[in-house]
């Protein structure tokens, strides 16, 4: 058990390079939380905890292994309920049936470093970062593409009626609304430094969510916001992590890199389900629309799983319960190849 925990913790350090090296013994560093994080930890301590049940673990095949899965999309039941896992290294899509059985791999010509960007009707949309465009994929083929107005796009979201992308580098930190032809329609400001805005984009009703991997906050923008509007920051009240001290050290300039706190999140109904990264168990925090924690969901039997950690999450209804599909990733080491799989967990929600 100790060996496994050590390996998983090491993988987190190596893969994401988010946790800084130990500072010199000559430097004085803080071991305190920010006031906001301290209050959030107190709120988290009172949140009820539920257990998640294992449903299935889904791998690729010998011919179509999941090499570096990064993101996923779950089609609604009306469209078959299939799960599509984007493999960025193989530039492909792994197709999993509604019954949880691996079906096939799609490898459309022209994909280069793809990431999931949404679903429009029966068509999957991918951010093709290698070609700086959006690709609309149906039945293993790119049926059309849309160029992006700027480079350095780190995330994209396509809904039935809107296209948003996130441009986040050291020079420009913005959300962009894009037309169907790829023209720039509107630009929105994101507060704070660029590193705080690295994360997926999500739609939650009539709001756009810009996730942050490195701080427990979510930037919220109305879908119909006018050009030049600024997003509002919603703190996740009740977020707790062993890495919050390290996060404060980074903001104070005492360490070189911020720790990754949240790998992804998915809105569903009136809740936001947040992947709170832990080395020894899987944790999903449940927040309301105001960003206050309602409940914590945990799966602790990770010793039985291949060594990996969750990088993306999708949610769907399953009778009175919810199903969570997690992309589990092990990016490999110097002498080992990356790998991954999909973990399906079930939460039987308590009666209201």
């Amino acid at each position: 058990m100790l060996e496994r925990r050590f390996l998983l913790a090491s993988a987190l350090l190596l893969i994401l390079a988010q946790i800084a090296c130990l500072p010199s013994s000559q430097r004085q560093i803080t071991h305190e939380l920010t006031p906001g994080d301290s209050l959030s930890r107190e709120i988290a301590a009172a949140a009820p905890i539920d257990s998640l049940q294992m449903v299935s673990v889904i791998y690729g095949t010998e011919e179509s292994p999941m090499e570096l899965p990064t993101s996923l999309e779950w089609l609604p039941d009306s469209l078959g309920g299939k799960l599509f896992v984007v493999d960025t290294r193989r530039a492909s899509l792994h197709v999993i049936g509604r019954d949880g059985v691996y079906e096939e791999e799609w490898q459309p010509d022209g994909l280069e470093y793809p990431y999931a960007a949404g679903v429009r009707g029966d068509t999957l949309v991918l951010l093709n970062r290698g070609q700086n465009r959006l690709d609309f994929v149906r039945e293993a083929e790119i049926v059309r593409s849309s160029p992006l107005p700027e480079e350095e796009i780190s995330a994209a979201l396509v809904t039935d009626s809107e296209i948003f992308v996130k441009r986040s580098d050291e020079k420009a930190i913005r959300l962009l609304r894009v037309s169907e032809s790829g023209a720039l329609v509107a630009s929105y400001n994101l507060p704070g430094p660029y590193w705080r805005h690295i994360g997926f984009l999500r739609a939650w009703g009539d709001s756009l969510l810009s996730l942050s991997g490195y701080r427990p906050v979510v930037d919220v923008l109305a879908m119909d916001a006018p050009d030049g509007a600024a997003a509002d920051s919603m703190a996740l009240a009740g977020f707790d992590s062993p890495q919050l001290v390290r996060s404060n050290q980074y903001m104070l300039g005492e360490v070189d890199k911020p720790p990754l706190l949240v790998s992804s999140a998915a809105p569903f109904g009136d809740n936001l389900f947040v992947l709170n990264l832990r080395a020894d168990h899987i944790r999903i925090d449940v927040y309301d629309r105001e960003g206050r924690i309602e409940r914590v969901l945990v799966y602790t039997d990770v010793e039985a799983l291949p060594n990996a950690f969750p990088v993306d999450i999708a949610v769907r209804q399953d009778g009175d319960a919810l199903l969570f599909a997690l992309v589990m990733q092990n990016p490999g080491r110097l002498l080992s190849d990356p790998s991954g799989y999909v973990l399906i967990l079930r939460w039987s929600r308590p009666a209201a």
Side-chain angles (χ1 to χ4, degrees), residues 54-60 66 69-74 83-87 94-97 100-102 282 305-306 308-314 324-330 339-345:
M54 162 80 75
V55 175
S56 60
V57 180
I58 306 163
Y59 305 96
M66 294 188 192
T70 58
S71 46
L72 76 172
E73 294 286 351
W74 221 334
L83 184 66
F84 291 85
V85 181
V86 181
D87 193 322
H94 299 280
V95 185
I96 299 170
V101 175
Y102 186 94
I282 292 171
L305 297 174
F309 71 100
V311 296
D312 198 13
I313 179 173
F324 300 97
L326 305 183
V327 173
M328 305 295 292
Q329 184 190 106
N330 183 338
S339 61
Y341 58 93
V342 172
L343 176 64
I344 307 294
L345 299 174

Side-chain angles (χ1 to χ4, degrees), residues 208-238:
L208 173 70
L209 305 184
S210 175
L211 306 182
S212 171
Y214 300 97
R215 287 297 297 160
V217 296
V218 175
D219 293 315
V220 184
L221 181 76
M223 289 278 189
D224 59 354
D227 185 27
D232 295 324
S233 290
M234 180 178 71
L236 297 178

Side-chain angles (χ1 to χ4, degrees), residues 255-272:
V255 296
D256 296 330
K257 295 178 181 179
L260 186 66
L261 305 174
V262 173
S263 55
S264 185
F268 189 86
D270 289 327
N271 291 117
L272 181 66

Side-chain angles (χ1 to χ4, degrees), residues 3 54 107 125 200 248 294:
E3 181 182 4
M54 162 80 75
Q107 293 183 299
V125 189
F200 291 109
N248 190 28
E294 290 186 346

Side-chain angles (χ1 to χ4, degrees), residues 74-343:
W74 221 334
L75 290 185
D77 288 342
S78 60
L79 295 173
K82 291 186 178 183
L83 184 66
F84 291 85
V85 181
V86 181
D87 193 322
T88 300
R89 189 181 192 212
R90 290 179 64 84
S92 69
L93 289 159
H94 299 280
V95 185
I96 299 170
R98 193 183 187 285
D99 56 2
V101 175
Y102 186 94
E103 293 187 352
E104 59 181 327
E105 182 182 23
W106 292 357
Q107 293 183 299
D109 291 337
L111 284 187
E112 188 177 354
Y113 305 115
Y115 292 83
V119 176
R120 179 172 286 183
D122 62 351
T123 303
L124 295 164
V125 189
L126 304 178
L127 170 61
N128 187 335
R129 292 187 67 176
Q131 298 294 324
N132 196 45
R133 71 190 188 202
L134 295 173
D135 287 336
F136 294 74
V137 179
R138 188 189 311 127
E139 297 301 326
E141 294 185 358
I142 298 174
V143 295
R144 75 179 182 91
S145 296
S146 179
L148 294 173
E150 298 186 27
E151 297 182 349
E152 302 295 339
I153 300 301
S154 62
L157 174 70
V158 177
T159 69
D160 288 341
S161 59
E162 301 288 354
I163 299 175
F164 290 92
V165 298
K166 183 191 293 189
R167 188 186 193 279
S168 51
D169 65 21
E170 297 185 37
K171 296 180 181 179
I173 311 141
R174 293 180 295 160
L175 291 173
L176 309 177
R177 179 185 287 166
V178 179
S179 72
E180 296 296 325
S181 63
L184 178 63
V185 174
S187 177
Y188 308 100
N189 300 319
L190 289 171
Y194 79 96
W195 60 267
R196 200 183 66 60
H197 301 287
I198 299 173
F200 291 109
L201 295 177
R202 298 286 187 250
W204 198 3
D206 58 1
S207 294
L208 173 70
L209 305 184
S210 175
L211 306 182
S212 171
Y214 300 97
R215 287 297 297 160
V217 296
V218 175
D219 293 315
V220 184
L221 181 76
M223 289 278 189
D224 59 354
D227 185 27
D232 295 324
S233 290
M234 180 178 71
L236 297 178
F239 183 88
D240 187 19
S241 169
Q243 293 298 328
L244 286 176
V245 170
R246 179 69 62 166
S247 181
N248 190 28
Q249 291 169 351
Y250 176 75
M251 291 187 289
L252 293 173
E254 297 173 347
V255 296
D256 296 330
K257 295 178 181 179
L260 186 66
L261 305 174
V262 173
S263 55
S264 185
F268 189 86
D270 289 327
N271 291 117
L272 181 66
F273 296 91
V274 175
L275 279 175
N276 183 334
L277 289 180
R278 300 300 177 98
D280 59 351
H281 66 279
I282 292 171
R283 173 168 169 151
I284 302 173
D285 292 345
V286 186
Y287 294 86
D288 65 17
R289 284 191 173 272
E290 283 68 51
R292 188 175 182 87
I293 198 164
E294 290 186 346
R295 189 170 297 272
V296 173
L297 313 178
V298 297
Y299 182 75
T300 58
D301 193 17
V302 294
E303 300 298 325
L305 297 174
N307 209 24
F309 71 100
V311 296
D312 198 13
I313 179 173
V315 189
R316 74 170 175 85
Q317 194 80 33
D318 182 40
D320 294 332
L322 291 183
L323 289 183
F324 300 97
L326 305 183
V327 173
M328 305 295 292
Q329 184 190 106
N330 183 338
R333 295 186 177 187
L334 184 62
L335 299 178
S336 63
D337 292 330
S339 61
Y341 58 93
V342 172
L343 176 64

